[in-house]
Amino acid sequence: MNGIPNIRHLRAFREVARRGSISQAAEHVHLSQPAITQAIAKLEEEVGTPLFERRPDGMAVSAMGVLFLDRVERALDRLRTGTREAVRIGGRKGGLRGVADFDQLLTAAQIRALAAVADAGNFSLAARTVGISQPTLHRAARDLERLAGMALFARTAAGIALTPAAKALVQHVKLAIAELEQGFAEVGEGLGGDTARIVVGSMPLSRPFILPTAVNALVRERPDVQFDVLDGPYDDLLHGLRHGEIDVLIGALRDPLPIEDVVQEPLFEDPLVVVARAFHPLSRRPKLTLEELAGCQWVVPRRGTPTRDRFEALFADGPPRGLVETGSQILVRGLLLGSDRLTLISAHQIRHEHELGLLVILPVELANTERTIGLTVRRGWRPTATQAHFLDLLRAAGKQAVSPVPRP
C-alpha cells in the first residue's frame, strides 16, 4: 500500500456503503455531496477498482467494495478503541481539553507521525523514514496532542519517548494500518493479482524445516507473494505481532500464554537430544551415563533459555568444564563438526544434518524435554486468503515434522 489513505475518505466510503446514498451520507460525515463524490473517486483510484455500482436508486457496494469495506470497518474500530484507551490512561490531566471522540478527526498525517516517532524515537529520524520534512512531522505530532488533549510525547536523554497513553494509542493505530494493508492485498487478490506480503516472526525451531517447507510450497503456487522473515528475541517478535508489524510467529509456544490478546496453536512436540559429530567416540556406545557426558566438552545456549535451563538441570552437581556459550546455530554446527564437543539441542533443529549423516543423536535417555512447536497470532486476526493458505501450509509442514529425526 502506498501510504495511509485519507481517513475522511474512508469514513465517507463507510457511510455511503451503509446508507446507499451520497446525500444521506453527507449528513453524517459533515461533508458536501461533491466532496464525498470526490473522496470516493480518490479512494477508488487508490484501491484500483470501483467500490460501488452506480444505480438510479443509489449506490450499491461492489464485490471488491465488500472486501475492502470490512477492512475499513475494522481499521476505524481500531482507531476508536485506541483513542478511548488513550483517554482512559492519559486522563487529560492538567486542564488540557481535547475532542471527546477525537478518532473522528484523526488525519493520515497524524497517524503516520505517531507511528514513525514510536519506531524511531526521534522526530528527525521519523521524518526521514516517512519522507517528509522534520517541521511537517513535528507539526502533525503536536496537532495530534492538541486534538487528544493530553501529552503523547516526552523528551528524554535518549530522544523522544511515548507516554503511556500514546503507547496504548500507537498499538491500535498500527493495527488499523495493518487492517488497511490487508484490505488492499485482498482487493489485489480479487482482481487476479497476488502481490501479498507476509511478515513472519521466526524462532529458531521453525527455521530448519517448517518455515522453508511452507514458504517454498506457497511460492511454487503464487510466485509473486513476498515474504519478510524476521528473527530476534521472543519479546521483540511478540511486540511486533501485537502491533500489526508481524502476521504470525512460528516456534516454541509459551506456557502460560504470555498475554491475552494472542492465540497459540500447537503443531507438534519436539524433544531435546544430545548430539555429536558422526563417528564420535561415544556414538558407538549402546547407552551413555551422565558421568560419561560430564567428562566431555560442550557447546551450549546462553543462560536464560529453556534449553540452557535443562542442561544445567542435567548437571546440577556441577557443569562440564570448558563450555562454549552461543546463540548461533551456525557456530554450534561448526564446533560439533570440527571437534568432539557435544550439545543439547532440539531434534528438529538438526534434522538436515542428521539426514546427511553429519550429526548423530547419542543414546541418552532424557525425560520430559519435549517442547510444543506451533503458531502464534493476534486474537481476532482475520488473515487474507493468501495468509490463510500459508497457515495451512505451515500446519501441513508441522505434520511432516512430527518425528523429525529417528532415535538410534
Side-chain angles (χ1 to χ4, degrees):
M1 182 179 68
N2 296 322
I4 304 168
N6 186 299
I7 306 300
R8 277 197 169 189
H9 293 177
L10 297 178
R11 295 190 182 283
F13 165 56
R14 182 177 66 176
E15 288 302 320
V16 174
R18 284 178 174 178
R19 305 177 191 284
S21 164
I22 289 178
S23 60
Q24 291 183 29
E27 300 174 6
H28 290 84
V29 296
H30 307 296
L31 291 173
S32 67
Q33 292 186 41
I36 290 183
T37 300
Q38 292 177 5
I40 297 299
K42 175 63 175 175
L43 190 58
E44 288 179 327
E45 181 182 340
E46 291 182 79
V47 175
T49 189
L51 298 173
F52 292 98
E53 297 174 4
R54 276 73 172 174
R55 299 175 178 175
D57 60 343
M59 305 277 282
V61 184
S62 67
M64 292 297 102
V66 170
L67 282 177
F68 194 64
L69 177 62
D70 179 68
R71 294 298 181 178
V72 169
E73 294 273 15
R74 291 167 68 92
L76 294 178
D77 285 346
R78 281 291 185 184
L79 294 180
R80 185 170 184 81
T81 300
T83 55
R84 290 185 171 185
E85 184 72 4
V87 169
R88 183 187 67 80
I89 294 173
R92 288 175 171 165
K93 298 176 182 178
L96 290 173
R97 297 179 61 189
V99 178
D101 293 323
F102 72 93
D103 64 294
Q104 300 288 322
L105 298 178
L106 283 174
T107 67
Q110 292 165 352
I111 288 174
R112 188 163 47 245
L114 176 64
V117 174
D119 290 339
N122 177 286
F123 283 123
S124 297
L125 291 176
R128 197 173 307 152
T129 299
V130 297
I132 61 177
S133 69
Q134 192 270 349
T136 299
L137 184 133
H138 187 271
R139 182 166 56 252
R142 295 309 181 190
D143 286 345
L144 177 58
E145 280 189 316
R146 285 190 288 272
L147 184 67
M150 68 186 79
L152 299 175
F153 309 99
R155 291 194 178 276
T156 68
I160 301 296
L162 299 186
T163 65
K167 289 179 181 178
L169 177 58
V170 78
Q171 179 179 8
H172 290 281
V173 160
K174 289 187 173 184
L175 290 173
I177 293 172
E179 290 288 354
L180 294 173
E181 289 176 340
Q182 288 185 288
F184 276 82
E186 284 178 323
V187 170
E189 292 175 24
L191 294 175
D194 198 346
T195 56
R197 176 173 169 265
I198 300 176
V199 185
V200 181
S202 169
M203 291 175 274
L205 298 186
S206 72
R207 295 170 197 157
F209 180 77
I210 304 175
L211 185 54
T213 300
V215 168
N216 285 337
L218 184 62
V219 171
R220 280 194 294 269
E221 298 176 25
R222 309 179 188 191
D224 292 330
V225 172
Q226 301 177 39
F227 281 93
D228 190 357
V229 179
L230 308 177
D231 55 26
Y234 176 78
D235 288 345
D236 291 349
L237 296 178
L238 182 65
H239 180 275
L241 178 73
R242 297 180 61 232
H243 284 70
E245 298 160 350
I246 293 175
D247 298 314
V248 57
L249 301 188
I250 310 170
L253 302 185
R254 266 46 182 180
D255 185 20
L257 191 70
I259 196 163
E260 290 302 316
D261 59 5
V262 300
V263 178
Q264 297 185 145
E265 177 186 340
L267 295 179
F268 66 95
E269 299 294 321
D270 190 40
L272 292 176
V273 290
V274 177
V275 174
R277 65 173 176 82
F279 308 110
H280 190 284
L282 295 182
S283 65
R284 294 186 288 271
R285 304 280 185 86
K287 191 173 181 179
L288 294 170
T289 65
L290 288 179
E291 289 74 16
E292 290 174 300
L293 298 178
C296 298
Q297 292 186 318
W298 288 71
V299 52
V300 295
R302 296 193 178 282
R303 293 183 184 275
T305 62
T307 302
R308 179 60 179 271
D309 292 342
R310 182 57 181 162
F311 174 82
E312 293 182 349
L314 282 176
F315 300 103
D317 294 336
R321 299 175 61 186
L323 297 181
V324 174
E325 299 184 10
T326 180
S328 167
Q329 295 305 310
I330 296 175
L331 180 57
V332 170
R333 183 178 183 273
L335 288 170
L336 292 181
L337 293 176
S339 73
D340 284 338
R341 287 185 181 273
L342 309 180
T343 194
L344 184 65
I345 196 169
S346 149
H348 187 68
Q349 283 181 278
I350 54 102
R351 179 188 183 110
H352 294 309
E353 289 84 354
H354 185 275
E355 290 176 347
L356 292 171
L358 299 175
L359 298 177
V360 296
I361 298 173
L362 297 183
V364 182
E365 290 296 330
L366 299 175
N368 303 317
T369 65
E370 289 81 6
R371 287 179 292 178
T372 303
I373 310 305
L375 312 177
T376 305
V377 298
R378 292 186 295 279
R379 189 176 297 278
W381 178 59
R382 189 171 70 76
T384 66
T386 298
Q387 290 169 337
H389 184 45
F390 178 61
L391 295 182
D392 287 339
L393 293 172
L394 288 170
R395 295 180 182 109
K399 290 180 180 179
Q400 297 177 52
V402 170
S403 299
V405 184
R407 289 181 179 273

